[in-house]
Amino acid sequence: MQATATVLVYSDNATTREQVRLASGRRPAADVPPVEILECATLPAVLEALEQGGIDACVLDGETAPAGGMGVCRQIKDEIYDCPPVLLLIGRPQDAWLATWSRADAAVTHPVDPVAFADSLASLLRGRVLARG
């Protein structure tokens, strides 16, 4: 197992980024590596981080403005080679179809439920770690 997994968190809201950091904990599940959080508040910061590589999963806030997480997800799925899996934070369960449109790998609703979030993030990290071998 790799030493750590880097999780990019995109939100213009510092409270949302903190909720994600707390819900992730040091390790979202016993069978995945400990996580390091890379916080981004702007789209240019997200794109730069993804271009540099080393990101194992992305958590994107669908409520971020002006570039919302759903549009950002669709953009990076189109533009980033070997794009990491994306966990999308959506405002309401009815927005799940938009998460599908954006090509997100998983979605959870605001406010962040720590158990559901950790389960979803761990699942994405398991897939990424297995794919890397």
Side-chain angles (χ1 to χ4, degrees), residues 22-70:
L22 292 172
S24 300
R26 292 181 55 171
R27 177 179 279 184
D31 61 339
V32 298
V35 295
E36 290 182 7
I37 302 292
L38 173 62
E39 295 185 27
C40 296
T42 65
L43 177 57
V46 170
L47 298 177
E48 182 178 331
L50 288 170
E51 287 294 330
Q52 289 178 2
I55 305 295
D56 295 294
C58 297
V59 178
L60 308 178
D61 181 0
E63 305 299 313
T64 295
M70 292 181 202

Side-chain angles (χ1 to χ4, degrees), residues 28-32 87 116-128:
D31 61 339
V32 298
L87 174 56
F117 179 86
D119 287 345
S120 293
L121 181 59
S123 178
L124 295 181
L125 290 173
R126 281 184 202 106
R128 187 70 169 185

